[in-house]
């Protein structure tokens, strides 16, 4: 591959059947970082956290009872 970091890892994240208040907190975070501000996140198979950015839009759907689901994609960020 070309460049210093030719492979940009992505993760499709889904938080299912969560309380509306929890989904609202996740949504507020996603809006605050949008796709411009990198943040620390530790992927399930990693020993340490790395820098990530939101890729594209998020979706929210209603679940059973009083729950909701939120889905979005994060992409590894290699900036300074």
């Amino acid at each position: 591959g070309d460049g210093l970091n030719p492979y940009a890892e992505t993760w499709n994240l889904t938080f299912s059947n969560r309380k509306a208040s929890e989904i609202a907190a996740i949504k507020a975070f996603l809006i605050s970082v949008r796709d411009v501000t990198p943040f620390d996140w530790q992927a399930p198979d990693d020993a340490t956290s790395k820098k990530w950015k939101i890729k594209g839009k998020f979706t929210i759907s209603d679940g059973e009872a009083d729950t909701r689901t939120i889905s979005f994609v994060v992409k590894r960020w290699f900036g300074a």
Side-chain angles (χ1 to χ4, degrees):
D2 292 332
L4 184 60
N5 300 297
Y7 173 68
E9 181 179 9
T10 61
W11 282 80
N12 297 313
L13 302 178
T14 300
F15 295 84
S16 301
N17 300 317
R18 306 294 176 104
K19 294 179 182 179
S21 60
E22 187 176 353
I23 295 298
I26 295 169
K27 178 182 174 183
F29 172 77
L30 296 175
I31 290 170
S32 74
V33 297
R34 293 173 276 162
D35 61 349
V36 295
T37 305
F39 57 92
D40 291 321
W41 179 67
Q42 184 174 336
D45 59 351
D46 285 344
T48 60
S49 65
K50 297 174 184 169
K51 293 287 186 183
W52 301 84
K53 282 188 174 183
I54 302 300
K55 181 181 177 188
K57 299 179 180 181
F58 59 86
T59 59
I60 298 175
S61 57
D62 290 331
E64 295 181 17
D66 194 21
T67 64
R68 294 192 175 89
T69 295
I70 189 167
S71 299
F72 55 95
V73 177
V74 295
K75 183 176 180 179
R76 177 88 186 274
W77 184 73
F78 296 101

